[in-house]
Amino acid sequence: MLNRFSRRRFVAAALAGVVGLGALGACGSGSGDEESSGPVKLRFLSLAWQKESLQANKDLVAKWNAEHADIQVEYVQGDWNSVHDQLLTSFEGGDAPDIVHYEASSIGEFSKQGYLADVSGLLSDDFKGQIDKGIWDTATFDGKVTGVPFLLESQVVIANKKLLDAAGIAVPPADGGWTWDEFQANAQKLTGPGKYGVAWALKSPTNRVLNLALNFDGKYFYTDGGRTEVRVGDAEKEIPKRIHDMLYASKTASPEALGMSGADTLPGFFAGKYAMLPGSVSLRQQMVEQAPADFEWVTLPPVRGISANQAANPQTLSVSADSKHQKQAAQFLEYFLNPSNMAALAKGDWLVPTGRQANEELVKATTGKQGWDVAADSAKDLTVAPFQMVDGYPEWKLKYATPALQQYFADKITLDQLGTQLVDGGKQVLR
């Protein structure tokens, strides 16, 4: 599958255009003097890009402004492709936006450099209580909460309903996903001449593997005495081995899907070549938009190991440390992310809201159709993963983990050789 955030960044360039440095640099109301009169003015840099999400963002800002004459928010359109460098420039220049939309895995760098405010003391206990601690942890750095997590992306399974029915396989309830053993057994039932039970789109395998590794408490990164190292034990080997077994032992997974993104697998899925597609919860949007009229599909809950835990990398909203109006910015955030509004934002992006009440409202509004019941229920199993807190992870992923996993899934190296390459790569990067 084309990674949700990668796909988002690619499409966003076409939809939103590139925000110039001048435009972003003008965002910071906190870099100048306090206004002597008139309303407080806040600049909100949003990275919304899907049509429904864009409209929801703009409508909420307009509604806030109509109801709060003393605090006015200016909506500034950002771009996922270029926002990192633009923010770095604006933070260094002291003219950053008051409110910044980004993602948990990317704000750590800015947080550690002191560019983002600790919002833990600015938000009400009721608001904070709506979001689980494990989700807050993804936006907590050096003890400071520098982002408000609001949209999540879980890994689910999209399945061909007619093929499930033909194989006598019942659709599990939203809160009762299959175990890995059951998933593999059902993939076997769905495999036959010219068709496979599963298509694993593993063009970019590392995040997927480390994400699902939490099903078996696989951490990969271990910190002891202030030093972090990569370890590959039985827990870490579970997911790679199970996927490899499906490819080469039971032959229930299509080998041709290995180099594909999730979108690449859709023609084969619609044609009945693959019965199940493990992938992002956002893949449901493409089902709605692209599936043939007579095609019946269903969203299956996340597969479980010893747990259904997955890594969470939520989209976040942060307040600039240089903003002169942090209290007012926090007021806006609580309004913008109240349960009803958060549910609307999640629906527009086909993602999962972090707030418990927002999830309930989303399921009620959609009656759970199009997999929204499964999406909402999956939020409870999303939490911070060790790799998300490691500064050297991007380099390890690019130079060592991705090539090694690709070799393993292509059956060119053994499981033990995979482990050795991952550990050795960690030694190079985490020195």
Side-chain angles (χ1 to χ4, degrees):
M1 184 186 78
L2 181 60
N3 176 277
R4 166 71 170 186
F5 294 135
S6 298
R7 173 173 166 266
R8 181 181 65 208
R9 288 170 176 137
F10 178 80
V11 178
L15 291 179
V18 176
V19 179
L21 288 175
L24 185 56
C27 290
S29 65
S31 58
D33 295 331
E34 290 278 7
E35 287 83 356
S36 57
S37 62
V40 167
K41 295 179 180 180
L42 302 172
R43 303 296 180 100
F44 168 34
L45 178 69
S46 171
L47 301 178
W49 62 277
Q50 303 222 57
K51 183 178 179 180
E52 188 176 347
S53 179
L54 274 170
Q55 194 60 53
N57 273 260
K58 292 179 179 179
D59 287 349
L60 290 177
V61 170
K63 187 177 180 183
W64 165 273
N65 286 336
E67 297 174 0
H68 299 81
D70 57 335
I71 306 173
Q72 293 290 286
V73 176
E74 180 180 351
Y75 180 93
V76 179
Q77 185 60 59
D79 181 320
W80 284 97
N81 291 293
S82 54
V83 68
H84 179 275
D85 290 344
Q86 292 172 351
L87 283 176
L88 185 60
T89 299
S90 63
F91 280 135
E92 290 177 344
D95 53 6
D98 296 278
I99 301 164
V100 175
H101 178 188
Y102 211 3
E103 61 188 7
S105 64
S106 299
I107 64 172
E109 168 190 350
F110 298 126
S111 179
K112 292 173 183 177
Q113 294 179 63
Y115 293 135
L116 301 178
D118 183 350
V119 296
S120 59
L122 300 174
L123 302 169
S124 69
D125 289 341
D126 286 345
F127 178 84
K128 289 184 289 188
Q130 283 289 317
I131 302 173
D132 289 340
K133 181 182 182 301
I135 302 300
W136 280 114
D137 287 346
T138 65
T140 302
F141 304 91
D142 299 326
K144 297 179 180 179
V145 180
T146 52
V148 179
F150 71 107
L151 294 179
L152 295 161
E153 181 177 18
S154 58
Q155 298 294 313
V156 295
V157 179
I158 306 296
N160 182 321
K161 180 65 163 56
K162 289 182 179 179
L163 293 181
L164 292 183
D165 291 344
I169 299 172
V171 175
D175 60 353
W178 295 329
T179 65
W180 270 91
D181 287 344
E182 291 170 332
F183 173 65
Q184 290 175 259
N186 287 329
Q188 185 74 68
K189 295 178 183 177
L190 293 163
T191 299
K195 63 179 183 179
Y196 291 93
V198 181
W200 283 102
L202 293 172
K203 183 177 181 179
S204 301
T206 307
N207 277 9
R208 172 79 67 86
V209 169
L210 269 66
N211 185 328
L212 296 177
L214 294 185
N215 287 181
F216 295 95
D217 200 29
K219 297 181 174 65
Y220 283 92
F221 291 91
Y222 293 81
T223 301
D224 185 18
R227 178 178 174 79
T228 300
E229 64 180 6
V230 175
R231 300 176 193 166
V232 181
D234 290 343
E236 286 75 25
K237 291 178 179 178
E238 277 283 351
I239 294 299
K241 184 179 186 305
R242 286 176 181 270
I243 294 175
H244 190 277
D245 284 350
M246 296 178 80
L247 287 162
Y248 302 105
S250 64
K251 297 185 179 180
T252 55
S254 170
E256 70 179 13
L258 285 177
M260 294 183 181
S261 67
D264 295 333
T265 63
L266 294 182
F269 181 64
F270 295 145
K273 194 171 183 178
Y274 325 120
M276 298 186 290
L277 298 180
S280 168
V281 69
S282 64
L283 193 58
R284 296 169 303 126
Q285 179 183 12
Q286 290 165 277
M287 295 295 110
V288 171
E289 295 176 351
Q290 300 179 30
D294 61 345
F295 187 85
E296 292 185 52
W297 59 276
V298 64
T299 306
L300 307 181
V303 181
R304 296 180 289 117
I306 59 175
S307 76
N309 286 353
Q310 297 182 29
N313 179 28
Q315 293 184 36
T316 55
L317 293 177
S318 299
V319 176
S320 171
D322 282 343
S323 174
K324 301 291 186 183
H325 307 296
Q326 293 180 14
K327 181 179 178 181
Q328 291 89 340
Q331 285 179 253
F332 172 73
L333 290 185
E334 290 210 18
Y335 171 88
F336 190 75
L337 298 179
N338 72 34
S340 296
N341 294 343
M342 187 186 288
L345 293 169
K347 185 174 181 293
D349 250 336
W350 289 86
L351 295 175
V352 183
T354 57
R356 286 187 292 277
Q357 190 177 338
N359 261 313
E360 293 171 4
E361 294 196 13
L362 183 55
V363 173
K364 183 178 180 180
T366 60
T367 65
K369 294 179 180 178
Q370 298 177 339
W372 282 113
D373 55 343
V374 173
D377 191 80
S378 69
K380 70 181 187 302
D381 298 311
L382 293 167
T383 188
V384 67
F387 73 87
Q388 293 173 290
M389 299 291 112
V390 177
D391 290 338
Y393 172 70
E395 182 182 355
W396 177 80
K397 170 187 170 183
L398 177 66
K399 293 183 178 179
Y400 302 99
T402 295
L405 284 166
Q406 288 173 337
Q407 284 184 299
Y408 176 63
F409 290 134
D411 205 30
K412 293 180 179 178
I413 60 174
T414 67
L415 184 59
D416 287 341
Q417 288 173 324
L418 169 66
T420 298
Q421 289 190 29
L422 297 180
V423 170
D424 289 347
K427 292 177 181 177
Q428 294 298 316
V429 172
L430 303 174
R431 289 180 293 184

